[in-house]
Amino acid sequence: MTKPLRRPIRSALLDIDVVALTAVATMVVMGVWLRHGGVDMLAGSALDRWTSISRLSGLFASFTGLVGVALSIRSTQVERKFGLDTMYNWHRILGETMAIALVVHIWSGVMSWSVEASVWSAIRDLTGREPYMAMATVGAFFILVVAFTSLRAVRRRMSYETWYFMHLLSYAGFALAFSHTIVLGGDFNEDPIARWMWIVVHIGLAVWLVIGRWGRVVRSVLKPLHITNLESTGVNTVVVTLGGPALENLRGDAGQFCYLRPLVRSSWWKSNPYSMSAAPSTDGLRFTIKDRGDASQTLGGLSLGTRVAVEGPYGTCTPEVLAGNKLLMIAGGVGIGPIRSLLERVGPETEPVILYRARSEKDLVHVEELTELAIRVNGRVQTIVGPTSSLAVKDPFSTAVLLTSVPDLQDREVVVAGPESLLFAAYKGLRAAGIDALDIHFERPWW
Amino acid sequence: MTRNKSADDQFPLVRRLAPAVLLASGGVVFLALVDGPENMIILNSSSTTGSVSSSSSSTSNPTGSTSTQELTCGAARSTGAQVEFKWGIVQVEALLDGEGELCEVEVLQFPDADRRSLAINNFALPILRDAVVVAKNANVQAVSGATLTSRAYMASLQFALDNS
Amino acid sequence: MMKPILKFAEPVMGTVASVHVVADRVHSQVVTAVGRVFGELHRLEALFSTFIKTSEISRINSGELSLLDASPEVIEVMDACTWLEHVSDGAFVARRPNGGLDPAGFVKGWAGQRASKYLAEFGLDNWLINIGGDIQTAGLNADNQPWSVGISNPHNSDELRFSLDVIDQAVATSGTGARGLHLWDAKGRPVEALGSMTVVGPELRWADAFATVAYVKGLDGVAWVEQFPGYHALAITLSGDLIAPAWAVSSI
């Protein structure tokens, strides 16, 4: 008897909690700086001024870094509130901010040290002669490398895992930089209250990270699912179903995605996100995987029974966010999975219109299933196939074209899933057609 | 994705760990090279031992040094070892008079003025001269020491030193 | 240009105290001032010596006198000793296991500094006072140079291990000089025994006490002394190595 999985929990977090938490954290950081005369020092001698700037930028870099690390823990409460996509976008923004603050911190530190000596001597002091500064130098180097490799242009040039393993160096970076903040940092070395607060925050975060982030990985490996069905569909496309007793531990819904880690010798160290292409149930989790790169290929090439560690499901674009209005669903590429699974969970009153964009006929998958599901709820499927240059219309998601295919567009809620370019094009056209931003549901591109 | 698939060939994990491991080892090497144990230095009691550069190997101990017959200070010179430590290199030169006795110590090399030593100079700090010098040769006005155990010995020695 | 230097020496406090005064000429002011210095040292010895039955310390230890009724000097010294015991984590000891007071570790330096006030009071700017190796200097020596203080080699007292040129600074050295003697700190952990520990700083009373503490603390003592602004330590190990904070050399 097929039963849907338990629905994801509702987050206890409220908007106001997040605002309050951010405000308190900012006030504490600024408070530490103000408490130790940060403003007065700005108006003081050159040494005081640079020292004050260095302290503030150092505090700010630490603060943004700590929040960035906290987001990467993927806390369930936070994830359910914002979605992993938003969290990782903030992680990126905070990381970039931290890198800039760190550069300011290093620069102002060197300036303050060189007020009374040569710049060269200041640099030598700050890279090893002062206590714990050699460690801090290495830590800053790690963090700047991590920030650099996370620039889109750089990141694209390396495989996900290469980037990820380098990204792990940021933990070492934080740990190495910690001592100098306690020993040299004017904000912590002479103020026991601030120092203990700082130590407690770091230890607390470290414990949370180990239990929350790495504990989750360990649990997923200890209680894996296994491949219960493998089906080839279309060109280079495989449908993988994962099942097993561990399913009982999962909560999930249509429209979500999971991190999958096949527990085989060649890929136990690779964990990649895949969208579910069917509403998760006691029958298992179904993923439709196109051969895009190495990881997808590996997963499709596995044999029945292979154990797969599953983290998730994640994602907030579930049937819960739909208000029950009529629906327009726009899908492209990998986006067909969430759209297909959501379609299983909507009612006949939604009369869904599915616009399915693909570069060529062979890229279309699940068209028959989609059509069946759509007809069941009074909907229809429309495919838009061909390279953009060959299409009859210049922009398939311009307001005029959208209105032609979906005359009652303005009455509908919209779900968009697919690659970045499709999301942006569709969002632009929909907004131009007067659809409220709150009525357009999508996961932000971050992968 | 413009990824080179050949990277996947035989040791995909090793290959992808390599940059991170390289960076981490670079950090460890840097720490091992740069981060000394403490903000302290050790000058060897014999200036011919320690980190001695090949060009300077003579001793600052005047005993047995050759000298000319002139009685001016600096008639003979003896260059001490270059002693390297966390803050830089120090090298001193002992100046001997015609009788081969120590009369002056010149500092040939010392670390660049930096923030720390500048701050210290502002406190009018003591000047340290390191050399095993025979007491009667040293131009000192008083002696601070720790070996004075017997009171009689202490009294005679101090009289001798103070009035030498 | 060499100026006249006047040297005085007198046995006191179980050792010898000497005073060097640089002055343009010998005048009665100098003699009076130095006389006051020795007088003060004898007075303080009579107050603090545990070898003198009638000293206040002896009377306090025998129960004849309450510490509360002791003279201000005794109370000042015991206050300072208490502070030193705290700040040294017990490495400084001014009380015997039986509860009796023995502030000898502090009195010599403190008395030297206190007595030297008479030199300043009589308008003397350039002088050196040496109480059995605990030295306080003021101004410059007869050559118009900083006072040069030799530190003896703990293994061979005929030798000086190094010397310090100082202006307005005190120098004190502590150490047994005995080879192979094992020391334990307040928590019973063995410390690496040193040949001697020398402390330089503005005031003799603290330089002397800090040297005593730092010597007991072993190599850690060098860093321990650095916490006190203006005070610095230099150690000679049993093997004869000189260990100094880096500043001491970079300021050569």
Side-chain angles (χ1 to χ4, degrees):
Chain A
M1 166 76 194
T2 299
K3 280 193 305 180
L5 288 190
R6 289 179 298 163
R7 301 286 175 242
I9 61 152
R10 280 182 183 282
S11 175
L13 282 178
L14 301 174
D15 285 340
I16 192 71
D17 293 336
V18 178
V19 172
L21 211 66
T22 312
V24 167
T26 311
M27 266 158 37
V28 166
V29 166
M30 289 298 288
V32 165
W33 181 68
L34 292 171
R35 176 179 156 99
H36 305 120
V39 172
D40 292 344
M41 287 173 72
L42 273 186
S45 65
L47 176 61
D48 282 352
R49 192 163 58 246
W50 286 118
T51 306
S52 179
I53 294 171
S54 174
R55 278 173 41 204
L56 183 61
S57 53
L59 280 167
F60 192 65
S62 288
F63 171 62
T64 47
L66 292 178
V67 178
V69 170
L71 284 175
S72 76
I73 293 172
R74 301 185 194 164
S75 150
T76 311
Q77 287 290 332
V78 182
E79 204 281 326
R80 292 306 305 145
K81 171 75 185 162
F82 296 104
L84 208 53
D85 58 339
T86 307
M87 289 164 71
Y88 273 113
N89 274 312
W90 271 103
H91 180 84
R92 169 188 288 280
I93 291 166
L94 287 165
E96 286 167 358
T97 312
M98 175 189 64
I100 293 166
L102 180 58
V103 169
V104 172
H105 177 63
I106 292 170
W107 179 63
S108 52
V110 170
M111 291 309 285
S112 81
W113 242 252
S114 53
V115 165
E116 292 180 350
S118 68
V119 174
W120 174 232
S121 162
I123 289 171
R124 283 192 299 161
D125 277 352
L126 293 174
T127 51
R129 290 169 172 188
E130 288 292 347
Y132 301 106
M133 280 312 292
M135 283 161 74
T137 303
V138 175
F141 175 69
F142 284 172
I143 283 173
L144 290 176
V145 165
V146 166
F148 176 74
T149 53
S150 297
L151 295 173
R152 281 173 204 271
V154 182
R155 161 90 182 269
R156 262 201 300 273
R157 289 171 188 274
M158 55 182 84
S159 74
Y160 172 75
E161 286 80 16
T162 305
W163 169 84
Y164 176 74
F165 291 139
M166 298 233 278
H167 218 73
L168 292 180
L169 286 176
S170 53
Y171 294 138
F174 278 103
L176 285 167
F178 178 72
S179 303
H180 96 281
T181 67
I182 293 290
V183 176
L184 275 181
D187 290 301
F188 300 115
N189 63 354
E190 281 167 2
D191 182 345
I193 297 173
R195 185 170 59 238
W196 279 111
M197 180 204 73
W198 198 238
I199 291 172
V200 166
V201 164
H202 277 79
I203 292 177
L205 186 68
V207 169
W208 190 22
L209 184 75
V210 169
I211 294 174
R213 180 72 188 88
W214 299 105
R216 193 191 306 274
V217 174
V218 170
R219 281 196 300 278
S220 78
V221 170
L222 291 181
K223 293 194 168 176
L225 298 181
H226 35 83
I227 298 179
T228 53
N229 195 25
L230 273 172
E231 227 177 285
S232 182
T233 172
V235 181
N236 289 337
T237 304
V238 180
V239 176
V240 179
T241 308
L242 302 178
L247 265 182
E248 289 167 20
N249 304 320
L250 300 180
R251 290 166 164 268
D253 205 345
Q256 291 194 296
F257 59 93
C258 298
Y259 276 84
L260 302 185
R261 181 194 302 274
L263 298 177
V264 293
R265 194 173 166 175
S266 60
S267 58
W268 58 269
W269 41 275
K270 295 177 186 172
S271 180
N272 287 295
Y274 297 94
S275 290
M276 295 188 286
S277 60
S281 72
T282 49
D283 280 352
L285 311 180
R286 196 179 88 151
F287 302 89
T288 301
I289 292 158
K290 280 197 83 71
D291 178 11
R292 285 180 290 116
D294 56 321
S296 307
Q297 195 178 28
T298 310
L299 202 62
L302 295 173
S303 51
L304 280 176
T306 304
R307 289 172 307 143
V308 178
V310 178
E311 288 173 64
Y314 296 112
T316 48
C317 197
T318 60
E320 285 171 11
V321 302
L322 303 177
N325 300 324
K326 284 184 170 181
L327 271 179
L328 167 62
M329 302 172 120
I330 301 175
V334 292
I336 197 58
I339 295 296
R340 192 208 158 285
S341 65
L342 279 172
L343 204 50
E344 285 181 45
R345 295 259 287 117
V346 298
E349 73 284 357
T350 58
E351 299 172 22
V353 176
I354 295 106
L355 297 184
Y356 187 1
R357 176 82 178 88
R359 196 168 298 246
S360 69
E361 288 287 346
K362 69 177 166 63
D363 287 333
L364 291 170
V365 288
H366 296 318
V367 178
E368 282 155 34
E369 281 182 29
L370 275 174
T371 313
E372 250 174 63
L373 286 165
I375 289 169
R376 190 176 57 82
V377 286
N378 309 322
R380 63 190 164 86
V381 177
Q382 183 180 333
T383 58
I384 310 164
V385 179
T388 306
S389 55
S390 74
L391 292 179
V393 288
K394 243 189 192 159
D395 177 3
F397 300 109
S398 66
T399 307
V401 177
L402 280 173
L403 278 171
T404 316
S405 3
V406 193
D408 57 351
L409 180 62
Q410 266 105 354
D411 298 336
R412 288 175 182 265
E413 265 185 282
V414 189
V415 181
V416 189
E420 221 172 292
S421 53
L422 176 110
L423 289 180
F424 289 137
Y427 190 81
K428 209 171 118 198
L430 291 164
R431 292 289 287 137
I435 310 278
D436 194 307
L438 291 175
D439 286 332
I440 307 173
H441 307 287
F442 63 94
E443 302 272 348
R444 282 166 190 79
W446 56 275
W447 169 240
Chain B
M1 208 183 273
T2 57
R3 214 179 39 75
N4 182 2
K5 279 198 178 175
S6 68
D8 232 2
D9 290 339
Q10 252 185 323
F11 305 104
L13 176 57
V14 172
R15 226 186 128 117
R16 280 159 205 205
L17 268 174
V21 171
L22 269 177
L23 278 168
S25 350
V28 170
V29 169
F30 179 83
L31 286 179
L33 289 178
V34 168
D35 210 15
E38 278 295 324
N39 181 21
M40 273 187 197
I41 54 102
I42 294 181
L43 299 173
N44 278 295
S45 50
S46 163
S47 53
T48 48
T49 61
S51 26
V52 183
S53 80
S54 57
S55 61
S56 60
S57 55
S58 63
T59 170
S60 61
N61 189 334
T63 315
S65 294
T66 57
S67 62
T68 69
Q69 295 306 307
E70 294 169 53
L71 284 168
T72 50
C73 188
R77 287 165 180 264
S78 170
T79 307
Q82 279 189 331
V83 182
E84 190 171 0
F85 59 99
K86 201 168 165 184
W87 295 71
I89 292 173
V90 173
Q91 187 175 31
V92 297
E93 185 176 45
L95 275 66
L96 313 174
D97 63 18
E99 292 170 347
E101 297 204 338
L102 180 68
C103 57
E104 183 65 74
V105 177
E106 279 184 7
V107 178
L108 299 180
Q109 215 181 342
F110 60 97
D112 301 328
D114 52 43
R115 179 178 163 127
R116 189 165 283 247
S117 62
L118 278 169
I120 279 150
N121 286 337
N122 291 340
F123 283 106
L125 274 173
I127 291 172
L128 168 72
R129 292 190 179 139
D130 174 53
V132 178
V133 286
V134 176
K136 64 188 173 94
N137 284 340
N139 178 27
V140 299
Q141 288 87 54
V143 172
S144 182
T147 58
L148 316 179
T149 45
S150 116
R151 289 185 194 183
Y153 181 70
M154 174 164 43
S156 68
L157 180 71
Q158 192 168 339
F159 268 111
L161 292 174
D162 283 351
N163 295 300
S164 61
Chain C
M1 156 112 188
M2 182 99 174
K3 285 180 178 178
I5 184 153
L6 302 142
K7 297 178 185 176
F8 307 81
E10 202 168 315
V12 66
M13 292 185 167
T15 179
V16 173
S18 60
V19 177
H20 295 198
V21 178
V22 180
D24 294 336
R25 58 195 171 80
V26 183
H27 50 75
S28 59
Q29 294 274 318
V30 177
V31 178
T32 312
V34 174
R36 293 279 175 88
V37 169
F38 287 123
E40 178 73 354
L41 288 172
H42 286 297
R43 185 181 77 83
L44 295 173
E45 181 182 14
L47 212 50
F48 286 97
S49 174
T50 52
F51 298 106
I52 300 173
K53 286 273 184 290
T54 53
S55 74
E56 284 200 17
I57 292 294
S58 294
R59 286 166 59 211
I60 290 168
N61 285 344
S62 66
E64 275 176 59
L65 180 70
S66 163
L67 182 57
L68 296 174
D69 299 326
S71 54
E73 288 92 339
V74 172
I75 290 173
E76 182 190 329
V77 164
M78 291 319 298
D79 273 353
C81 287
T82 305
W83 177 73
L84 283 163
E85 285 174 347
H86 280 284
V87 79
S88 68
D89 292 325
F92 186 87
V93 181
R95 285 174 178 79
R96 292 167 175 167
N98 63 10
L101 304 180
D102 187 4
F106 181 68
V107 165
K108 197 166 67 149
W110 171 81
Q113 187 183 341
R114 186 182 169 93
S116 71
K117 276 185 200 157
Y118 289 103
L119 299 172
E121 275 180 20
F122 280 80
L124 302 172
D125 298 324
N126 304 298
W127 46 263
L128 173 151
I129 180 167
N130 180 353
I131 322 243
D134 291 346
I135 295 146
Q136 175 82 52
T137 73
L140 301 170
N141 69 9
D143 298 322
N144 262 329
Q145 298 294 317
W147 290 99
S148 192
V149 177
I151 311 298
S152 66
N153 184 345
H155 310 305
N156 179 357
S157 51
D158 285 344
E159 285 182 352
L160 297 185
R161 180 61 183 79
F162 61 94
S163 68
L164 295 164
D165 287 3
V166 295
I167 303 171
D168 294 333
Q169 300 275 306
V171 180
T173 300
S174 181
T176 64
R179 201 174 266 274
L181 178 71
H182 291 287
L183 292 173
W184 284 266
D185 68 6
K187 289 168 186 158
R189 298 170 302 197
V191 293
E192 184 176 339
L194 294 173
S196 73
M197 180 71 80
T198 298
V199 171
V200 193
E203 297 192 33
L204 181 56
R205 51 180 172 162
W206 302 128
D208 182 23
F210 292 166
T212 307
V213 171
Y215 178 71
V216 172
K217 285 182 179 289
L219 277 179
D220 294 343
V222 177
W224 180 83
V225 171
E226 292 295 317
Q227 71 177 298
F228 303 103
Y231 290 84
H232 304 281
L234 303 101
I236 299 172
T237 64
L238 284 180
S239 55
D241 287 342
L242 169 60
I243 296 186
W247 58 260
V249 176
S250 58
S251 64
I252 286 179

